[in-house]
Each structure stands twice: as C-alpha cells, then as structure tokens.
Amino acid sequence: MLGHLAYLTAMVLLATTAPLHQLGEARGALLVLGVVGIWRYSWAFLNFSRAVAYLRVVYPKRRAEAEAAFATRPVRPHAFFLTTSYKIEPAVTVRVYRSIFAAAAASEGGATIVASVVDPADARLIRRTFSGMARDMSTVKLRVDQIPGTGKRDALARSLELIARDCPTRHDVVTFVDGDSCVPEDLVARCAPVFTDPRIGALTTDERAEIDRPGLFEDWFNLRFAQRQVMMCSMGLSARVLTLTGRMSVFRADLATNPGFIAMVQSDSIQHWRLGHVKFLTGDDKSTWFWLLSNGYRTAYLPDVSSLSMESQPRPGFVDSAVTLMTRWYGNMMRTNGRALGLGPARIGAFTWWSLLDQRVSIWTTLAGPTGVILTALLAEPMILPVYAAWVMGTRYVYCSIVSGFRGRAGFPISYPFLLYFGQIVGALVKSFIIFRLDRQKWTRQSTATGAAAALTTGQRLRMASSTYLHALTVGWLVVCVLFLTKIA
C-alpha cells in the first residue's frame, strides 16, 4: 500500500512541476501525444468492452449451448495428448506428465498420450511416472516416441502422423501440450463440448505462470498473462483468436491429422519480396492457427479453463531475458501477420483483420509519443519530460487496475505500471527490428538458428545491409513526421 501511495504522490508532484504557461513551445508535442493517446486508448477501451461482453454474457451462453448439445451425444470423444519434451528439468517433467495422465484418465472416451522426447532419460522418467500413477489408467494408452533432436516441428509432425494411424474422427480431440505446462484434470470434459459447433477447429485457454524465483520476471509474466486474458476475451467474441498458444491448445482430431495441417506444421514458410524464401524454425503455434484460419475454421477461447506453465529466465538479467523472449514471440507473430492480412476482412472478419493490422500500426504509434517528447525536450522545452512522466504513470496505473480486475484481483504489484511501459516501448522497438528481419529466428532452448553472423554468403550480407537500410530509413521518416507534426523544427 505504501508503494502505491508513493507512486501516486510522485505522479502528482511531476504533473505540477511545470506550470501550463511554460509549456507553450511544447504544444505540438502535447497535441501529438493527445492524438496518439486518443487512438491507442480508444482501441484499448474497445477491447475492454468486448472482453467484458464476452466474459459476462456471450461466453456463458455459448458454453451452456455447447454442453447441452454435447450431452445428447451417445459416444464420448477419445482424447489424444501430444507432448514434446526437450531440455526440461526432471522435476518439471514429472509434474507435467502427472497432470496429463490425470486428465487422460478422466477422459470418459479414453485417451492416448504421445510423448515425443529426444533424451532416453526422459523416456524412462515418463514411463516410470505413468506406472506410478495411483489411479486406474486402464483406459489410457501411452506411446513414448524417441526421436532425433531436429526441432519441435519435426517432433509434432511425426507425433501427428502416429495419431493419424488411429483414424480419429471429427468428434475426437487432440491436445497440444508443451513439456513445461500442466493441464487441468477436467480438461477434456471442459473442452470437448466446444467442438459440437462444426465451425470450431480449435480452442485455446487462459494461462497462468509459475516462476522459479520471485521478482520482476515473475511480475512481468503475470502482467502479460493478465493482458492476454483481456485480448483473448475480446477476440473470442469474434470466435477467431490471434494465436493458438503452444503451451496448451485443443484441436479437432480430424483436422489436426489432416495431411495439409501436418505438412504446414512440419515445414512452413513464406516467400518475401526482399528476403526470399523464409523457412519457419519457430512459431508452430502460428502455423496451426494460420492453417485453420485460411481454411475457414473458427477458433474459440475458454477464459474459465487454464494451463499452468513453469517458466524460468532464459538469461541472467531481466531485460536480456525479456528481450530474448519478445524477439521469439514477436518474430513468430510478424512472420505470419502479412499472409493473414492477405486473407482479407471478408474472409476472416473485419475485427480480426483490423486487429492484425493494428499489430503493425501499433509499432509506430507507440514510438511516436516518446519520440515527440524527446525531440521537444532537446529542441524546445525540457519541462515536458516531467509532464510526460506523470501522464505515463497515470494512464498505466489506470490500465493496470482494469487489467487486474479481469483476474479478480483488487490490487496489483506497484511494479506493474513500469513493466507495462517497458513492455510497450521495448516491445515496439523489438517489433520494429524484427519486421525488417523476418529471416532472423532462434529457439530459446535449442541451438537451431538462422541469420547468424558466421559464414555469410554475399547474398546474405546484401539482405542484411538492406534490412538495416530500410529500418534506418523508416525510423528516419518517423522522426521527420514527428518533427513536422510537433512544429518544433
């Protein structure tokens, strides 16, 4: 409580530091801030409104209708679980598989678990955990598939081919689970009814994180998942979410075993006008999402079902860890964004299409505000800095209060507003870097990477130079536009 009081006091003091008559030369920058603020916060208000409507009204109605339809079906669906494990701590692996085994045992129609592993020790640990389950596992079949470490995409494709041999029907389900994510025991009972709607091809759920040590990284992850809940509820209203998270998503079994689906999971790529053929290493969750989207299927969001992911910092420092993760996440997003936009609003829905467009526009609207403030402070009126700081503190505090409400919390750590601003600005910078370098990608755990500096060909060097040139040119035009709009030069 004292932290919040100190925060609000500092905000008021900053806001009153500069009298309004001293900010005459900063009017242009304040106007740009106001226009950008109206744009961004009207968009946020729209998503908040849609999220509330979905969470309170639309989703309960849809769930009730789905469960009523599901109750009339004489046969329960068979549940397939596909899990990939690579370089994960044994204690985490045991927790994850115990949760999967429990969920599989609770499936009324039986279950099959395909565990894709690289390390023989993981295979032994999984089998030992299965045999040690203190419940009836007679309706559950376990297949441990040990494969070469050629990447997650190959692992998923091979596992899906194994599942396809069982000839699953459209009434069965396939759950993709990461090797560091626990699933709820009633997963099948909660998710299977959604597929009574033949238009639904897959669904994803809420996520929560368990961090191995408290601190900024834990707060950052919790804030991100709270923001995700809001955006997913908003997109759920249109029955087309913007991602099917790799941590845990559920698919209609006949679609997940479709040869075209499997082929895209294993070998997805785009043809870029400047970078040429870009093969995807990461982002399998974006490939599955795009296949369903392009084939006309809808995707649902379940806000009352959640997975638990056990996260750890990939780097020693918080900033380095956050940038590493954002680079992978936003790289996956940007590589798929262009082709998804190409489907058009008539095919995927106007709001979904506009949300995809906003992923690109928000890069520059986010950076325009601080760029205008910095230029104004350097060239005209330094006193705009405390006013801007107060504006950031106030707006982010209100935003965090609303987002936390979606988690049913009355309060939030005082680190949230700072982490929110960090995520917005650094996230926009990372996106602006990636959008010109879609060929740069790397796994967090695996050494597989593209765009490395070693042994580059002449063509690769030219592409890297063109990426740097276009990035610098775009940033330059952003600065010129801000200078023109603020009228300070």
Side-chain angles (χ1 to χ4, degrees), residues 421-463:
Y421 188 68
F422 166 83
Q424 290 170 335
I425 301 302
V426 175
L429 290 171
V430 170
K431 290 177 190 176
S432 73
F433 179 87
I434 288 171
I435 200 169
F436 296 102
R437 301 167 179 84
L438 297 177
D439 55 332
R440 300 284 294 274
Q441 49 189 314
K442 184 177 181 180
W443 287 104
T444 302
R445 289 194 181 98
Q446 290 176 296
S447 58
T448 308
T450 63
L456 294 177
T457 65
T458 301
Q460 289 173 324
R461 292 182 185 278
L462 288 174
R463 285 194 291 271

Side-chain angles (χ1 to χ4, degrees), residues 85 116 316 361 427 477:
S85 298
S116 179
V361 174
W477 274 111

Side-chain angles (χ1 to χ4, degrees), residues 231-464:
M231 286 304 301
M232 283 292 197
C233 285
S234 175
M235 300 308 302
L237 191 63
S238 301
R240 290 184 181 90
V241 297
L242 292 183
T243 187
L244 292 168
T245 178
R247 290 185 179 90
M248 189 190 79
S249 291
V250 185
F251 296 78
R252 223 175 74 184
D254 62 326
L255 300 180
T257 53
N258 182 289
F261 183 96
I262 296 174
M264 180 165 279
V265 169
Q266 184 168 24
S267 185
D268 196 6
S269 62
I270 56 172
Q271 191 66 31
H272 192 270
W273 67 274
R274 179 175 55 84
L275 300 173
H277 184 75
V278 179
K279 184 177 180 179
F280 294 0
L281 298 181
T282 62
D284 53 273
D285 52 337
K286 288 294 186 181
S287 298
T288 58
W289 167 80
F290 181 73
W291 189 90
L292 292 169
L293 190 71
S294 60
N295 281 278
Y297 290 100
R298 296 185 177 186
T299 47
Y301 179 63
L302 276 57
D304 58 348
V305 180
S306 64
S307 63
L308 176 68
S309 60
M310 282 154 280
E311 305 288 344
S312 59
Q313 287 190 203
R315 299 287 185 271
F318 164 70
V319 174
D320 192 15
S321 296
V323 171
T324 297
L325 291 172
M326 285 192 285
T327 299
R328 179 164 62 87
W329 295 337
Y330 296 148
N332 296 337
M333 180 178 75
M334 287 299 167
R335 276 184 287 276
T336 303
N337 179 276
R339 62 180 181 177
L341 279 172
L343 297 175
R347 190 170 176 183
I348 64 176
F351 187 81
T352 304
W353 186 86
W354 183 258
S355 298
L356 290 166
L357 180 63
D358 183 70
Q359 289 180 344
R360 290 174 174 253
V361 174
S362 63
I363 298 172
W364 312 110
T365 55
T366 298
L367 295 176
T371 300
V373 169
I374 292 171
L375 291 173
T376 300
L378 292 173
L379 302 175
E381 179 51 72
M383 292 306 293
I384 193 176
L385 291 175
V387 174
Y388 176 68
W391 163 262
V392 168
M393 293 175 72
T395 53
R396 273 58 179 185
Y397 191 88
V398 172
Y399 186 96
C400 291
S401 299
I402 297 173
V403 166
S404 297
F406 277 82
R407 286 296 197 202
R409 296 175 180 172
F412 54 88
I414 198 57
S415 61
Y416 271 21
F418 300 103
L419 292 171
L420 176 62
Y421 188 68
F422 166 83
Q424 290 170 335
I425 301 302
V426 175
L429 290 171
V430 170
K431 290 177 190 176
S432 73
F433 179 87
I434 288 171
I435 200 169
F436 296 102
R437 301 167 179 84
L438 297 177
D439 55 332
R440 300 284 294 274
Q441 49 189 314
K442 184 177 181 180
W443 287 104
T444 302
R445 289 194 181 98
Q446 290 176 296
S447 58
T448 308
T450 63
L456 294 177
T457 65
T458 301
Q460 289 173 324
R461 292 182 185 278
L462 288 174
R463 285 194 291 271
M464 289 179 66

Side-chain angles (χ1 to χ4, degrees), residues 84-98:
T84 55
S85 298
Y86 183 76
K87 289 188 177 181
I88 296 174
E89 292 293 327
V92 173
T93 297
V94 169
R95 284 187 61 186
V96 167
Y97 277 92
R98 278 178 178 167

